[in-house]
Amino acid sequence: AQKVTQAQTEISVVEKEDVTLDCVYETRDTTYYLFWYKQPPSGELVFLIRRNSFDEQNEISGRYSWNFQKSTSSFNFTITASQVVDSAVYFCALSEARYSSASKIIFGSGTRLSIRP
Amino acid sequence: GAGVSQSPSNKVTEKGKDVELRCDPISGHTALYWYRQSLGQGLEFLIYFQGNSAPDKSGLPSDRFSAERTGGSVSTLTIQRTQQEDSAVYLCASSLSGTGEYFGAGTRLSVL
């Protein structure tokens, strides 16, 4: 069965601090996708990244970076020099990767990140 | 349209009534998903469509819930004989294989 665990329910840091959101997953699939989404107070889910299980290279996008480690089944998300606008609930998610078709996405319970000025 | 569109944005209904929630996916997106998010909770998978077919309906909470998709585009989620525990935000997402999943703003359902 597939499962995504985000052990940190809430994190609060002061602006400009770096913060890492943890994500651990379980799957029996040999190929799968991992995702991160942001849900700001407005409520709309914003897609941040999708990573294929074959690609373990870390990715950096501006102040955001992702560390994918298959050996520990983790896909952690780091925000560098955090800003108040980063305050949101962040969800990690997992789906089976199928050629040219979709499969259901399993979400973690989310981590509420609060950035204090 | 440019994004996933859901209607209505808010729906208040009385217990026992039926409701229909609509989702217009991004044009050309073959996959469509329905999720439910209760207040302060994570996302609960309901159903997804590949084209007009629903390979996985395992998340539908009960037989009061049903969904259909026509023409590989618009989808409707129907809840019959609504109960108070059905109150939640119902989110729709669409995707094209090889891209990310894009979510609509959701329909906030309140069952009185």
Side-chain angles (χ1 to χ4, degrees):
Chain A
Q2 295 178 319
K3 184 179 179 181
V4 177
T5 300
Q6 294 179 256
Q8 305 151 307
T9 53
E10 291 194 39
I11 299 175
S12 180
V13 300
V14 176
E15 197 171 21
K16 298 183 184 176
E17 286 186 12
D18 298 348
V19 58
T20 295
L21 310 181
D22 297 333
C23 173
V24 175
Y25 63 92
E26 297 175 28
T27 182
R28 293 180 183 157
D29 297 324
T30 53
T31 57
Y32 49 91
Y33 293 126
L34 293 162
F35 307 81
W36 277 96
Y37 289 86
K38 174 182 180 180
Q39 188 174 41
S42 61
E44 194 155 346
L45 274 160
V46 178
F47 167 79
L48 296 178
I49 190 172
R50 186 187 80 163
R51 172 65 68 204
N52 188 309
S53 55
F54 287 146
D55 182 2
E56 287 194 68
Q57 281 194 343
N58 291 334
E59 180 154 341
I60 297 174
S61 176
R63 296 184 296 106
Y64 295 172
S65 62
W66 290 270
N67 184 318
F68 175 29
Q69 296 206 352
K70 238 176 172 177
S71 60
T72 55
S73 297
S74 66
F75 186 43
N76 296 339
F77 173 31
T78 297
I79 302 175
T80 303
S82 60
Q83 300 176 2
V84 173
V85 293
D86 296 326
S87 297
V89 179
Y90 290 86
F91 292 96
C92 180
L94 164 73
S95 76
E96 178 188 353
R98 295 182 189 165
Y99 177 70
S100 74
S101 72
S103 66
K104 71 181 181 184
I105 309 169
I106 303 299
F107 282 78
S109 55
T111 296
R112 182 176 301 277
L113 176 63
S114 299
I115 309 297
R116 308 189 303 275
Chain B
V4 178
S5 177
Q6 290 187 246
S7 60
S9 55
N10 281 283
K11 177 71 178 178
V12 180
T13 190
E14 293 179 353
K15 179 181 172 181
K17 301 281 190 183
D18 298 351
V19 295
E20 283 190 355
L21 312 180
R22 177 186 168 103
C23 174
D24 273 290
I26 293 173
S27 179
H29 278 194
T30 53
L32 185 147
Y33 307 79
W34 283 100
Y35 288 85
R36 178 167 73 173
Q37 187 174 30
S38 300
L39 186 64
Q41 301 298 310
L43 277 77
E44 176 189 4
F45 168 80
L46 298 178
I47 187 171
Y48 86 88
F49 290 90
Q50 181 66 43
N52 292 334
S53 301
D56 191 339
K57 304 179 183 180
S58 63
L60 293 176
S62 74
D63 58 8
R64 296 186 296 104
F65 287 72
S66 63
E68 64 175 13
R69 189 180 186 194
T70 54
S73 181
V74 172
S75 176
T76 302
L77 177 68
T78 300
I79 309 173
Q80 295 179 309
R81 304 181 302 282
T82 51
Q83 304 293 312
Q84 287 183 333
E85 61 262 29
D86 299 334
S87 296
V89 176
Y90 289 81
L91 292 161
C92 176
S94 71
S95 77
L96 185 63
S97 291
T99 68
E101 280 60 29
Y102 295 88
F103 281 79
T107 293
R108 183 175 299 278
L109 175 65
S110 300
V111 182
L112 304 179

